Amino acid sequence: MLERNLAALGDRNLDIVRAIREAEAARVEWATATDGSFVPLVEGRALASRHQPSQEATTFADAIDLREKAVVAVLGFGAGYHIRELCHRLRRTGLVVVLEPEMGLLRAVLSRVDFTDSFSTANILFFRGDEELGRYAERFAGAEGVLIQGTELVEHPASKARVAPVAKAFAHGVTETVRAARVTAATGLARSAQTVRAVLANARRYVGGEGLAPLAGLAQGRLGIVVSAGPSLRRNLHLLATPGLRERAVIVATQTVLKPLLAEGIRPHFVAALDWHRISQRFYDGLRASDVEDTTLVLDPQANPIIAQSYPGPVRAISAPHLDALLGPLARDMGRLPAGATVAHLCYQIARFLGCNPVALIGQDLGFTDGV
């Protein structure tokens, strides 16, 4: 029973599944309710109604307006019947998020009660409450569209005392993740028209030019170096001028550092661009074809068309789903990369697409250094 329940939790909960497997089952007594359901008791305290736990779960779910809230974050798993009811109601149209800090209790309950249908047919995420904030972003990745449709935090009365030490941190993690999702959605909506215009303006080059696909795995096992424009690049730039480095590694640079690198005699193999603004033209002003004849621009077709028009060297595009849908059977494999938020993400994905391993980051500070 335990293994079937854990398998139903899916890939999104692998860390929780691992923790449950490693935990020692909590000391739980079991009673049988009037409706035939199993009721776990911890130190004599029932984690669900001793009489009608199924009806109790229905009442719990009835109190939540699922027409207004697509995400329900529950503070406590307890006997799990309220979670089962929410899973059955939301299915794949929403998301059930569960805070349960006691892995031993989960092991005991999941070893006795069957939740396989509930877990496997719904979107459900488990948290222990001690996760770093970044872990919330990882777990909720791809669910931003659901998060912005309304989120409600609900206490499970029988679990209140047990989850109290981590409830505040959990609520903060969920709240911050929802806030970030709203910012992302607002930005996407604000930029959507600009993105479509850019994609269509780059269509001729996309259809008639080269893609990144033929280079997949070309640098298998070689060192990849992603060069970004953080403050620390200035003091570390000399490392990229090490004799023979270009022959031993693959250098992928953001467009903002291209001219500074060339000025130091450092020629990256690739430069990446996805900026939507015309201001990007300045990163290529004054460049001659001979300066970048062996540096390929990797273009995300969402980028402003001025970029490809201004670049005097070779250009390869990555896959654009919008254009592929428009082209239908005429679409080619241009090389699809995982989406990212910045050009540095794009550079990293290019290095991995080429087969680079390991990948080193230089100038990628994620903050201000050196007293700046």
Side-chain angles (χ1 to χ4, degrees), residues 343-355:
V343 69
H345 288 133
L346 176 57
C347 289
Y348 174 79
Q349 297 295 354
I350 291 168
R352 289 300 192 192
F353 184 84
L354 295 170

Side-chain angles (χ1 to χ4, degrees), residues 322-332:
H322 301 82
L323 280 177
D324 289 341
L326 186 66
L327 292 169
L330 299 178
R332 296 177 294 155

Side-chain angles (χ1 to χ4, degrees), residues 256-318:
T256 48
V257 300
L258 176 59
K259 289 204 287 188
L261 290 179
L262 294 175
E264 296 296 323
I266 302 165
R267 294 174 297 115
H269 297 86
F270 298 92
V271 59
L274 51 67
D275 202 321
W276 62 274
H277 203 284
R278 287 184 61 87
I279 200 172
S280 295
Q281 182 178 8
R282 67 178 179 168
F283 301 123
Y284 309 103
D285 281 344
L287 289 182
R288 300 165 299 180
S290 58
D291 297 327
V292 291
E293 60 185 355
D294 51 3
T295 298
T296 298
L297 170 67
V298 179
L299 179 74
D300 186 323
Q302 298 181 72
N304 194 294
I306 197 69
I307 294 173
Q309 294 167 13
S310 304
Y311 191 71
V315 179
R316 289 181 181 269
I318 63 171

